[in-house]
Amino acid sequence: MICTLRCLPLLAVLLLPGCALFEEGASLSNFHTVVLDPGHGGYDNGAKAVKGLPEKMLTLDVARRVKPLLEARGYHVIMTRTTDIFIPLGGRTGISNAHPDAAFVSIHFNSASRRAANGVETFYYNPRSAPFARNILSEIACCYGSHSRGVKYARYYVLHHNMRPATLLELGFVSNPAENAKLQDPAVRQRLAERIAVGIAKGHGGRAPLIGG
Ligand SMILES: [Zn+2]
């Protein structure tokens, strides 16, 4: 469909949630708001760790750690959840899509039936979000001795239905006994949070751009 920029918001309303549009105004260079999305919550535990906290608690903990680090860099930060509650996926993208100046970062931990699986990876849906995913991966890879599994394309709901620059982070495997032992350590999660904040701000030279700038 041929469309001018002016009709994009209307189209978005008509087409969402069936089809997400990366709004033209949304850009990696000018976002001021970061929507942090701790994966899972409530009855949805996410991945079960071989020992310790389940994925839903680890994601919330990391998001809580990232928030003040971004605020210190001048960003406005919104969390899709701040407690152990279930938020539908559409509610998560709805928060992002309601903020034209936002970028969206979903936080997850991985699990696999193969116990040896390990490492961190980041995902994007719209190719224009790929640099965002790459910036964060380059910071978190190796930050606790983990290896990089790369930046990958995926049609995940929270990415596909997102109108903003959006990435989903998989911060390591809680199904891997050695990796899980590290991820259960709050000091490791703090280090991860610091690297995530650096990665988010990387395209802006480390600080949120000036409003209107
Ligand atoms: Zn998850």
Side-chain angles (χ1 to χ4, degrees):
M1 186 185 301
I2 296 169
C3 177
T4 63
L5 291 185
R6 201 172 296 166
C7 77
L8 272 175
L10 175 64
L11 260 183
V13 169
L14 291 174
L15 298 177
L16 283 174
C19 172
L21 296 170
F22 195 99
E23 203 166 63
E24 285 301 315
S27 160
L28 280 176
S29 64
N30 67 1
F31 67 83
H32 301 92
T33 295
V34 179
V35 177
L36 293 176
D37 175 41
H40 312 281
Y43 70 82
D44 174 11
N45 288 321
K48 185 180 185 303
V50 286
K51 192 177 176 187
L53 297 173
E55 181 186 3
K56 68 170 183 176
M57 299 308 294
L58 295 175
T59 61
L60 181 58
D61 178 85
V62 169
R64 282 176 173 157
R65 293 173 188 274
V66 174
K67 183 173 187 280
L69 297 170
L70 287 175
E71 287 170 342
R73 289 171 165 80
Y75 294 95
H76 173 222
V77 180
I78 300 170
M79 288 176 56
T80 58
R81 66 182 179 96
T82 55
T83 57
D84 180 20
I85 55 168
F86 176 76
I87 307 284
L89 296 179
R92 297 172 194 254
T93 52
I95 293 169
S96 181
N97 292 339
H99 292 82
D101 69 340
F104 180 91
V105 180
S106 193
I107 297 171
H108 289 256
F109 290 82
N110 231 329
S111 179
S113 52
R114 191 173 66 89
R115 287 264 158 135
N118 70 99
V120 295
E121 56 197 2
T122 62
F123 293 87
Y124 66 91
Y125 171 71
N126 190 298
R128 288 168 58 186
S129 290
F132 193 40
R134 198 174 301 123
N135 281 350
I136 300 173
L137 183 74
S138 67
E139 292 298 324
I140 60 176
C142 302
C143 95
Y144 60 90
S146 58
H147 88 275
S148 170
R149 299 169 63 90
V151 177
K152 299 174 180 175
Y153 165 88
R155 198 181 162 92
Y156 291 141
Y157 185 101
V158 293
L159 302 180
H160 176 223
H161 293 260
N162 219 307
M163 294 162 63
R164 311 294 168 224
T167 183
L168 185 146
L169 317 180
E170 290 282 3
L171 298 175
F173 284 75
V174 293
S175 50
N176 178 309
E179 194 153 276
N180 178 62
K182 292 175 186 168
L183 296 171
Q184 296 290 337
D185 179 352
V188 170
R189 296 199 298 274
Q190 182 63 28
R191 210 178 314 146
L192 266 174
E194 287 164 6
R195 301 324 300 171
I196 291 168
V198 169
I200 289 171
K202 208 168 184 174
H204 300 157
R207 280 196 70 81
L210 296 172
I211 301 285

